[in-house]
């Protein structure tokens, strides 16, 4: 199952502050030696600039996993900046 919350705040006519938080939890049982319920959390904070049909977004993404791919593995996390553009048509 996955739950998420999203929101945005207009900073000007073309610039928005955007936020996202999500949580993924596996349904069912894991194999012995693994976490009993693997899960993953994600967070995104971004500035989004719209111009005509185009939108450019600079975001900071963070994820945290509580899922072992094999016995003895450890939890992992990642943080990164992401620059993206999209065009509506």
């Amino acid at each position: 199952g996955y739950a998420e919350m999203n929101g945005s705040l207009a900073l000007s006519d073309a610039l928005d502050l955007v936020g996202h938080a999500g949580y993924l939890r596996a349904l069912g049982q894991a194999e012995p030696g693994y976490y009993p319920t693997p899960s993953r959390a994600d967070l995104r904070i971004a500035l989004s600039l719209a111009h005509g049909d185009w939108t450019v977004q600079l975001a900071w993404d963070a994820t945290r996993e509580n899922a072992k791919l094999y016995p003895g593995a450890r939890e992992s996390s990642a943080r990164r900046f992401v620059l993206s553009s999209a065009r509506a048509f």
Side-chain angles (χ1 to χ4, degrees):
Y2 185 74
E4 67 178 304
M5 289 178 48
N6 298 288
S8 64
L9 174 66
L11 301 176
S12 72
D13 287 341
L15 186 65
D16 292 335
L17 178 64
V18 180
H20 164 87
Y23 184 74
L24 174 68
R25 183 174 176 109
L27 304 175
Q29 299 292 341
E31 296 294 321
Y34 293 77
Y35 283 102
T37 53
S39 61
R40 176 183 174 124
D42 58 278
L43 175 69
R44 173 178 269 226
I45 300 170
L47 286 174
S48 182
L49 179 64
H51 181 71
D53 292 339
W54 288 91
T55 302
V56 176
Q57 188 177 86
L58 177 61
W60 179 78
D61 283 343
T63 59
R64 174 107 173 131
E65 290 190 61
N66 179 19
K68 291 183 178 182
L69 298 176
Y70 51 87
R74 59 185 177 148
E75 296 175 356
S76 66
S77 63
R79 292 170 190 83
R80 68 199 142 260
F81 281 99
V82 177
L83 178 63
S84 61
S85 65
R87 182 177 179 265
F89 58 93

